[in-house]
Amino acid sequence: MVQASGPSLGGAMTSTTPGPVDLGAVVVGVDASAPALTAALWAAEEADRRGRSLHVVHAADTDHRMLHAGVEAVQAIREAGHDLLVDTAEAVGDRHPGLTVTKELSSLDPVSGIRAAAGERGTIVVGSRGLGGFGALMLGSVGLGLAARTEVPVIVVRGEPDRPVTGVITAAVQGASDLDWLMLAAAEAQIRKASLRLLSVCNVLAQVGAVATMLDSLGEVAEQQVHEVSAMAARIRQVYPHLTVTHHVETGTSVPGILVEASKHTDLMVLGTRRHLLGLGPALGRVSHAVLHHGHCPIEIVPPEYMDTGDQS
C-alpha cells in the first residue's frame, strides 16, 4: 500500500473547488422482508442525523396488477401495503420517537415509485435483498435497478445491523473528476463526526503493456495517483476544515476485491458511478456492481447527474 497524508495541491486540478453539500431528504423503500425493515431503521437514523423527516414508500405496482388481477385482489394488495407502512412507521417511531415519519403507498412499480418519491434531491435507501431474493449475498432487483437508473444517491443497506461503529466513511476514488461527489461523502462523514478516508486502487493488471511507455515503473504510476488523491484531500479540507481526511492508494489486481475488503472496516462506503448502456437501459459498472453485491457495510452510489445539477449550499 502506498500512503500519504500531507496536503499537496500541485497542478493536477485547476477547477473551482465545489462548496459544501446540503444532504437531501431521506426516502426508504420497503416491502415485507426483514432487510427492508433493517433499511428503514438505518434510514431513520440517517434522517435524524441530517435533521430531516423520513419518507417511507411502499410501491405496490397496482397499476400493472390491475391488468391481470381482479378488483378484490388489488384491494387486498393495497390494504396489505397500508398495513406494512403503518407497521414500519411504528417500528421507526419506537426507535426514534422524535422523528417525523411520512408514508406513501405508490401504485407504480417499485423502481418507478421510489424514484418518483425521491424527486430531484432526495437520498434513496433500500435493503440489500427483497422478497424475491435467493441469497443473502445477492442484491435485489429493485436495489440494483435504482442504483443503475436513479439520478439521486442510492444507499443499499448491507452488513450486520449490530456491527461495531468504526467512525470512518470510505470513498472509493478513481480520479480528479470525482471531486464533486467526494463533497457529498465529506458531508456524510461530518454529520457522523467521523473521519473520511479516500481510497484509490492502482490496478496492476490495467497497467500491463502501458507502464513501460507512459512511466518508468508501476511505482511511478502509484506515486502519481497518490499525488492526485492528496490534492483532492486538500481541496476537501478547504471546504470542511474540521473534518479529518486521510488518503490511501493500494496496489492490487482486483479493484472490487480491495473495496469489498475495505468495506469490513468502515461505516459507509461511497462510490461515484459511471453508467454504461446495456440492452434496454443503463447498467452499473463492474466495480460498483460487485461492491453492491458483496460489500460488508451500507454502500452509497452517487450518480454524476446529482452533483452536476444539484444545488450546493
Side-chain angles (χ1 to χ4, degrees):
M1 178 178 74
V2 181
Q3 176 176 340
S5 57
S8 175
L9 288 173
M13 291 176 293
T14 58
S15 60
T16 302
T17 301
V21 173
D22 181 21
L23 295 173
V26 180
V27 175
V28 61
V30 298
D31 56 21
S33 66
L37 179 57
T38 298
L41 295 175
W42 191 96
E45 189 171 353
E46 176 74 5
D48 196 31
R49 279 191 293 259
R50 295 184 180 191
R52 301 275 191 169
S53 60
L54 175 67
H55 190 54
V56 184
V57 180
H58 175 64
D61 198 18
T62 49
D63 284 352
H64 178 261
R65 292 174 188 267
M66 288 179 66
L67 301 176
H68 308 284
V71 174
E72 291 184 359
V74 170
Q75 182 60 28
I77 291 170
R78 288 175 177 151
E79 291 176 358
H82 177 268
D83 291 344
L84 172 63
L85 289 170
V86 170
D87 291 344
T88 303
E90 288 180 352
V92 168
D94 290 342
R95 189 78 63 89
H96 300 276
L99 182 67
T100 299
V101 181
T102 57
K103 306 181 292 293
E104 178 182 346
L105 180 62
S106 172
S107 62
L108 302 176
D109 66 87
V111 172
S112 299
I114 297 170
R115 286 179 67 186
E120 296 181 353
R121 300 301 300 159
T123 295
I124 294 172
V125 179
V126 291
S128 60
R129 182 166 57 94
L131 291 173
F134 292 99
L137 291 178
M138 298 305 294
L139 176 63
S141 59
V142 173
L144 193 59
L146 286 166
R149 299 182 181 93
T150 303
E151 293 77 21
V152 299
V154 175
I155 300 175
V156 176
V157 179
R158 297 192 58 87
E160 296 299 325
D162 56 350
R163 67 196 302 265
V165 174
T166 66
V168 178
I169 303 301
T170 298
V173 181
Q174 297 184 57
S177 61
D178 292 334
L179 183 60
D180 282 350
W181 70 259
L182 284 176
M183 293 301 172
L184 185 145
E188 291 279 15
Q190 179 154 285
I191 64 170
R192 290 170 168 79
K193 296 181 173 58
S195 63
L196 175 65
R197 182 190 190 212
L198 308 186
L199 176 60
S200 183
V201 180
C202 182
N203 188 347
V204 175
L205 294 180
Q207 304 299 333
V208 172
V211 172
T213 57
M214 294 176 61
L215 295 168
D216 291 338
S217 68
L218 182 62
E220 290 191 24
V221 175
E223 288 296 336
Q224 184 183 60
Q225 206 159 327
V226 167
H227 179 78
E228 195 169 81
V229 177
S230 174
M232 285 188 280
R235 294 289 183 93
I236 293 171
R237 293 188 191 103
Q238 290 177 354
V239 179
Y240 294 93
H242 302 296
L243 182 66
T244 298
V245 184
T246 63
H247 48 95
H248 309 267
V249 173
E250 295 196 16
T251 57
T253 58
S254 171
V255 176
I258 289 174
L259 295 181
V260 168
E261 178 63 24
S263 72
K264 295 179 180 179
H265 313 290
T266 190
D267 297 327
L268 176 70
M269 178 165 284
V270 188
L271 295 88
T273 184
R274 289 167 172 79
R275 292 165 176 163
H276 309 280
L277 290 177
L278 184 65
L280 298 178
L284 290 174
R286 178 180 63 88
V287 173
S288 298
H289 193 277
V291 176
L292 278 173
H293 276 82
H294 302 293
H296 298 278
C297 72
I299 308 296
E300 181 167 13
I301 299 293
V302 185
E305 300 92 338
Y306 184 77
M307 301 308 298
D308 288 344
T309 62
D311 295 331
Q312 295 180 5
S313 60

Short mmCIF file of all heavy atoms in Angstrom, two decimals, residues 190-234:
data_model
loop_
_atom_site.label_atom_id
_atom_site.label_comp_id
_atom_site.label_asym_id
_atom_site.label_seq_id
_atom_site.Cartn_x
_atom_site.Cartn_y
_atom_site.Cartn_z
N GLN A 190 -19.10 14.28 8.04
CA GLN A 190 -19.22 15.37 9.00
C GLN A 190 -20.44 15.19 9.90
O GLN A 190 -20.36 15.43 11.12
CB GLN A 190 -19.29 16.70 8.28
CG GLN A 190 -19.44 17.89 9.22
CD GLN A 190 -18.91 19.17 8.64
OE1 GLN A 190 -17.71 19.39 8.54
NE2 GLN A 190 -19.82 20.03 8.20
N ILE A 191 -21.59 14.78 9.34
CA ILE A 191 -22.78 14.65 10.19
C ILE A 191 -22.64 13.50 11.18
O ILE A 191 -23.33 13.46 12.19
CB ILE A 191 -24.07 14.48 9.36
CG1 ILE A 191 -24.05 13.18 8.55
CG2 ILE A 191 -24.31 15.69 8.47
CD1 ILE A 191 -25.39 12.86 7.92
N ARG A 192 -21.74 12.55 10.88
CA ARG A 192 -21.49 11.44 11.80
C ARG A 192 -20.36 11.73 12.79
O ARG A 192 -20.06 10.90 13.64
CB ARG A 192 -21.13 10.18 11.01
CG ARG A 192 -22.27 9.57 10.23
CD ARG A 192 -21.74 8.49 9.29
NE ARG A 192 -22.82 7.70 8.73
CZ ARG A 192 -23.60 8.08 7.73
NH1 ARG A 192 -23.40 9.26 7.16
NH2 ARG A 192 -24.57 7.30 7.27
N LYS A 193 -19.70 12.88 12.60
CA LYS A 193 -18.48 13.18 13.36
C LYS A 193 -17.46 12.06 13.15
O LYS A 193 -16.73 11.66 14.06
CB LYS A 193 -18.78 13.37 14.85
CG LYS A 193 -19.69 14.57 15.13
CD LYS A 193 -19.94 14.75 16.61
CE LYS A 193 -20.70 16.05 16.90
NZ LYS A 193 -21.99 16.13 16.20
N ALA A 194 -17.39 11.58 11.93
CA ALA A 194 -16.46 10.53 11.54
C ALA A 194 -15.34 11.12 10.70
O ALA A 194 -15.38 12.28 10.29
CB ALA A 194 -17.20 9.44 10.75
N SER A 195 -14.31 10.33 10.43
CA SER A 195 -13.27 10.74 9.50
C SER A 195 -13.62 10.24 8.11
O SER A 195 -14.43 9.33 7.94
CB SER A 195 -11.91 10.17 9.93
OG SER A 195 -11.93 8.75 9.90
N LEU A 196 -13.04 10.88 7.10
CA LEU A 196 -13.25 10.48 5.71
C LEU A 196 -11.96 9.89 5.16
O LEU A 196 -10.90 10.51 5.22
CB LEU A 196 -13.65 11.69 4.87
CG LEU A 196 -13.79 11.44 3.36
CD1 LEU A 196 -14.93 10.46 3.08
CD2 LEU A 196 -14.02 12.76 2.61
N ARG A 197 -12.06 8.69 4.64
CA ARG A 197 -10.91 8.02 4.04
C ARG A 197 -11.10 7.94 2.53
O ARG A 197 -12.07 7.36 2.05
CB ARG A 197 -10.76 6.60 4.62
CG ARG A 197 -9.55 5.86 4.08
CD ARG A 197 -9.59 4.40 4.49
NE ARG A 197 -8.33 3.72 4.18
CZ ARG A 197 -8.24 2.42 3.85
NH1 ARG A 197 -9.32 1.69 3.80
NH2 ARG A 197 -7.07 1.89 3.60
N LEU A 198 -10.18 8.54 1.80
CA LEU A 198 -10.18 8.43 0.35
C LEU A 198 -9.33 7.22 -0.03
O LEU A 198 -8.14 7.18 0.27
CB LEU A 198 -9.63 9.69 -0.31
CG LEU A 198 -10.23 11.03 0.13
CD1 LEU A 198 -9.65 12.16 -0.73
CD2 LEU A 198 -11.75 11.01 0.06
N LEU A 199 -9.94 6.25 -0.69
CA LEU A 199 -9.24 5.02 -1.06
C LEU A 199 -9.23 4.88 -2.57
O LEU A 199 -10.28 4.84 -3.21
CB LEU A 199 -9.92 3.80 -0.43
CG LEU A 199 -9.36 2.43 -0.80
CD1 LEU A 199 -7.90 2.30 -0.41
CD2 LEU A 199 -10.20 1.32 -0.16
N SER A 200 -8.03 4.83 -3.13
CA SER A 200 -7.88 4.65 -4.57
C SER A 200 -7.06 3.38 -4.81
O SER A 200 -6.14 3.07 -4.04
CB SER A 200 -7.18 5.86 -5.19
OG SER A 200 -7.08 5.73 -6.59
N VAL A 201 -7.41 2.65 -5.86
CA VAL A 201 -6.73 1.39 -6.16
C VAL A 201 -5.95 1.53 -7.45
O VAL A 201 -6.51 1.92 -8.49
CB VAL A 201 -7.73 0.22 -6.27
CG1 VAL A 201 -6.99 -1.08 -6.59
CG2 VAL A 201 -8.54 0.08 -4.98
N CYS A 202 -4.67 1.24 -7.39
CA CYS A 202 -3.83 1.19 -8.58
C CYS A 202 -3.86 -0.24 -9.09
O CYS A 202 -3.25 -1.13 -8.50
CB CYS A 202 -2.40 1.62 -8.24
SG CYS A 202 -1.28 1.65 -9.66
N ASN A 203 -4.60 -0.45 -10.15
CA ASN A 203 -4.81 -1.81 -10.69
C ASN A 203 -3.59 -2.24 -11.49
O ASN A 203 -3.32 -1.72 -12.57
CB ASN A 203 -6.07 -1.82 -11.56
CG ASN A 203 -6.47 -3.22 -11.98
OD1 ASN A 203 -5.70 -4.16 -11.84
ND2 ASN A 203 -7.68 -3.34 -12.50
N VAL A 204 -2.86 -3.20 -10.97
CA VAL A 204 -1.64 -3.66 -11.62
C VAL A 204 -1.93 -4.21 -13.01
O VAL A 204 -1.23 -3.91 -13.98
CB VAL A 204 -0.95 -4.74 -10.76
CG1 VAL A 204 0.26 -5.31 -11.49
CG2 VAL A 204 -0.53 -4.16 -9.42
N LEU A 205 -3.01 -4.99 -13.14
CA LEU A 205 -3.31 -5.61 -14.43
C LEU A 205 -3.66 -4.57 -15.49
O LEU A 205 -3.36 -4.75 -16.66
CB LEU A 205 -4.47 -6.60 -14.27
CG LEU A 205 -4.18 -7.83 -13.41
CD1 LEU A 205 -5.41 -8.74 -13.34
CD2 LEU A 205 -2.99 -8.62 -13.96
N ALA A 206 -4.29 -3.47 -15.07
CA ALA A 206 -4.67 -2.43 -16.02
C ALA A 206 -3.46 -1.71 -16.59
O ALA A 206 -3.53 -1.09 -17.65
CB ALA A 206 -5.60 -1.42 -15.34
N GLN A 207 -2.32 -1.80 -15.88
CA GLN A 207 -1.12 -1.09 -16.32
C GLN A 207 -0.22 -1.95 -17.20
O GLN A 207 0.74 -1.46 -17.78
CB GLN A 207 -0.31 -0.61 -15.10
CG GLN A 207 -1.10 0.26 -14.14
CD GLN A 207 -1.60 1.54 -14.77
OE1 GLN A 207 -1.00 2.04 -15.71
NE2 GLN A 207 -2.70 2.07 -14.26
N VAL A 208 -0.52 -3.25 -17.30
CA VAL A 208 0.33 -4.14 -18.10
C VAL A 208 0.33 -3.68 -19.56
O VAL A 208 -0.72 -3.48 -20.17
CB VAL A 208 -0.17 -5.60 -18.00
CG1 VAL A 208 0.61 -6.48 -18.98
CG2 VAL A 208 0.01 -6.10 -16.58
N GLY A 209 1.50 -3.50 -20.13
CA GLY A 209 1.61 -3.07 -21.52
C GLY A 209 1.61 -1.57 -21.70
O GLY A 209 1.95 -1.07 -22.76
N ALA A 210 1.20 -0.84 -20.64
CA ALA A 210 1.15 0.62 -20.76
C ALA A 210 2.21 1.29 -19.92
O ALA A 210 2.63 2.39 -20.22
CB ALA A 210 -0.24 1.12 -20.33
N VAL A 211 2.65 0.64 -18.85
CA VAL A 211 3.57 1.26 -17.91
C VAL A 211 4.89 1.61 -18.59
O VAL A 211 5.42 2.71 -18.41
CB VAL A 211 3.83 0.32 -16.71
CG1 VAL A 211 4.94 0.88 -15.84
CG2 VAL A 211 2.55 0.16 -15.91
N ALA A 212 5.42 0.73 -19.40
CA ALA A 212 6.74 0.94 -19.98
C ALA A 212 6.76 2.16 -20.89
O ALA A 212 7.78 2.84 -20.99
CB ALA A 212 7.16 -0.30 -20.78
N THR A 213 5.66 2.44 -21.55
CA THR A 213 5.65 3.55 -22.48
C THR A 213 5.22 4.87 -21.82
O THR A 213 5.57 5.94 -22.29
CB THR A 213 4.69 3.26 -23.65
OG1 THR A 213 3.39 2.98 -23.11
CG2 THR A 213 5.16 2.07 -24.45
N MET A 214 4.44 4.79 -20.73
CA MET A 214 3.92 6.01 -20.11
C MET A 214 4.78 6.49 -18.95
O MET A 214 5.05 7.67 -18.80
CB MET A 214 2.49 5.78 -19.63
CG MET A 214 1.49 5.53 -20.76
SD MET A 214 -0.16 5.16 -20.12
CE MET A 214 -0.51 6.66 -19.23
N LEU A 215 5.22 5.58 -18.10
CA LEU A 215 6.02 5.93 -16.95
C LEU A 215 7.10 4.88 -16.77
O LEU A 215 7.03 3.79 -17.32
CB LEU A 215 5.13 6.00 -15.68
CG LEU A 215 4.06 7.11 -15.67
CD1 LEU A 215 3.09 6.89 -14.53
CD2 LEU A 215 4.73 8.48 -15.53
N ASP A 216 8.10 5.22 -15.98
CA ASP A 216 9.24 4.32 -15.84
C ASP A 216 8.87 3.04 -15.12
O ASP A 216 9.47 2.01 -15.36
CB ASP A 216 10.37 5.02 -15.09
CG ASP A 216 10.98 6.13 -15.93
OD1 ASP A 216 10.84 6.09 -17.18
OD2 ASP A 216 11.60 7.04 -15.33
N SER A 217 7.92 3.07 -14.22
CA SER A 217 7.61 1.88 -13.43
C SER A 217 6.22 2.00 -12.86
O SER A 217 5.61 3.07 -12.83
CB SER A 217 8.62 1.72 -12.29
OG SER A 217 8.46 2.76 -11.34
N LEU A 218 5.71 0.86 -12.38
CA LEU A 218 4.42 0.86 -11.71
C LEU A 218 4.46 1.72 -10.46
O LEU A 218 3.47 2.36 -10.10
CB LEU A 218 4.03 -0.58 -11.34
CG LEU A 218 2.68 -0.76 -10.66
CD1 LEU A 218 1.55 -0.30 -11.57
CD2 LEU A 218 2.48 -2.22 -10.25
N GLY A 219 5.62 1.79 -9.81
CA GLY A 219 5.76 2.63 -8.64
C GLY A 219 5.48 4.09 -8.96
O GLY A 219 4.87 4.81 -8.17
N GLU A 220 5.91 4.54 -10.14
CA GLU A 220 5.65 5.92 -10.54
C GLU A 220 4.16 6.14 -10.82
O GLU A 220 3.62 7.22 -10.55
CB GLU A 220 6.48 6.28 -11.76
CG GLU A 220 7.97 6.41 -11.47
CD GLU A 220 8.71 7.03 -12.64
OE1 GLU A 220 8.07 7.75 -13.43
OE2 GLU A 220 9.92 6.79 -12.76
N VAL A 221 3.50 5.11 -11.35
CA VAL A 221 2.06 5.21 -11.55
C VAL A 221 1.36 5.42 -10.22
O VAL A 221 0.50 6.29 -10.07
CB VAL A 221 1.52 3.94 -12.24
CG1 VAL A 221 -0.01 4.00 -12.34
CG2 VAL A 221 2.14 3.76 -13.61
N ALA A 222 1.76 4.61 -9.22
CA ALA A 222 1.14 4.73 -7.90
C ALA A 222 1.45 6.08 -7.27
O ALA A 222 0.58 6.70 -6.65
CB ALA A 222 1.64 3.59 -7.00
N GLU A 223 2.68 6.56 -7.44
CA GLU A 223 3.04 7.85 -6.85
C GLU A 223 2.24 8.99 -7.49
O GLU A 223 1.83 9.94 -6.81
CB GLU A 223 4.54 8.10 -7.01
CG GLU A 223 5.42 7.22 -6.12
CD GLU A 223 5.20 7.50 -4.64
OE1 GLU A 223 4.75 8.61 -4.29
OE2 GLU A 223 5.47 6.59 -3.83
N GLN A 224 2.03 8.89 -8.78
CA GLN A 224 1.21 9.90 -9.45
C GLN A 224 -0.22 9.87 -8.92
O GLN A 224 -0.86 10.91 -8.72
CB GLN A 224 1.22 9.65 -10.96
CG GLN A 224 0.47 10.72 -11.76
CD GLN A 224 0.43 10.39 -13.24
OE1 GLN A 224 -0.09 9.34 -13.63
NE2 GLN A 224 0.99 11.27 -14.05
N GLN A 225 -0.72 8.67 -8.67
CA GLN A 225 -2.07 8.51 -8.14
C GLN A 225 -2.15 9.08 -6.72
O GLN A 225 -3.13 9.73 -6.35
CB GLN A 225 -2.46 7.03 -8.15
CG GLN A 225 -3.95 6.78 -8.23
CD GLN A 225 -4.26 5.38 -8.75
OE1 GLN A 225 -3.53 4.83 -9.58
NE2 GLN A 225 -5.33 4.80 -8.26
N VAL A 226 -1.11 8.83 -5.92
CA VAL A 226 -1.06 9.40 -4.57
C VAL A 226 -1.12 10.92 -4.64
O VAL A 226 -1.84 11.57 -3.87
CB VAL A 226 0.22 8.95 -3.84
CG1 VAL A 226 0.43 9.78 -2.58
CG2 VAL A 226 0.13 7.47 -3.47
N HIS A 227 -0.38 11.50 -5.55
CA HIS A 227 -0.35 12.96 -5.69
C HIS A 227 -1.74 13.49 -6.02
O HIS A 227 -2.20 14.50 -5.45
CB HIS A 227 0.64 13.34 -6.78
CG HIS A 227 0.74 14.82 -7.02
ND1 HIS A 227 1.44 15.68 -6.19
CD2 HIS A 227 0.21 15.60 -8.00
CE1 HIS A 227 1.33 16.91 -6.64
NE2 HIS A 227 0.60 16.89 -7.74
N GLU A 228 -2.44 12.82 -6.92
CA GLU A 228 -3.77 13.26 -7.34
C GLU A 228 -4.78 13.15 -6.19
O GLU A 228 -5.58 14.06 -5.96
CB GLU A 228 -4.23 12.42 -8.53
CG GLU A 228 -5.41 13.00 -9.27
CD GLU A 228 -5.64 12.28 -10.58
OE1 GLU A 228 -6.27 11.20 -10.55
OE2 GLU A 228 -5.21 12.79 -11.63
N VAL A 229 -4.74 12.01 -5.47
CA VAL A 229 -5.68 11.83 -4.36
C VAL A 229 -5.36 12.80 -3.23
O VAL A 229 -6.25 13.33 -2.56
CB VAL A 229 -5.64 10.37 -3.88
CG1 VAL A 229 -6.56 10.17 -2.68
CG2 VAL A 229 -6.05 9.42 -5.00
N SER A 230 -4.07 13.06 -3.01
CA SER A 230 -3.66 14.01 -1.98
C SER A 230 -4.21 15.40 -2.29
O SER A 230 -4.66 16.13 -1.40
CB SER A 230 -2.13 14.06 -1.90
OG SER A 230 -1.70 15.07 -1.02
N ALA A 231 -4.19 15.77 -3.57
CA ALA A 231 -4.72 17.08 -3.96
C ALA A 231 -6.21 17.17 -3.68
O ALA A 231 -6.72 18.20 -3.23
CB ALA A 231 -4.43 17.33 -5.44
N MET A 232 -6.94 16.08 -3.95
CA MET A 232 -8.38 16.08 -3.66
C MET A 232 -8.63 16.18 -2.16
O MET A 232 -9.55 16.88 -1.71
CB MET A 232 -9.02 14.83 -4.24
CG MET A 232 -9.19 14.89 -5.75
SD MET A 232 -10.15 13.52 -6.42
CE MET A 232 -8.91 12.24 -6.46
N ALA A 233 -7.83 15.48 -1.36
CA ALA A 233 -7.98 15.56 0.10
C ALA A 233 -7.77 16.99 0.58
O ALA A 233 -8.50 17.48 1.45
CB ALA A 233 -6.99 14.61 0.77
N ALA A 234 -6.79 17.69 0.00
CA ALA A 234 -6.53 19.07 0.39
C ALA A 234 -7.71 19.97 0.04
O ALA A 234 -8.08 20.87 0.80
CB ALA A 234 -5.25 19.57 -0.28
#
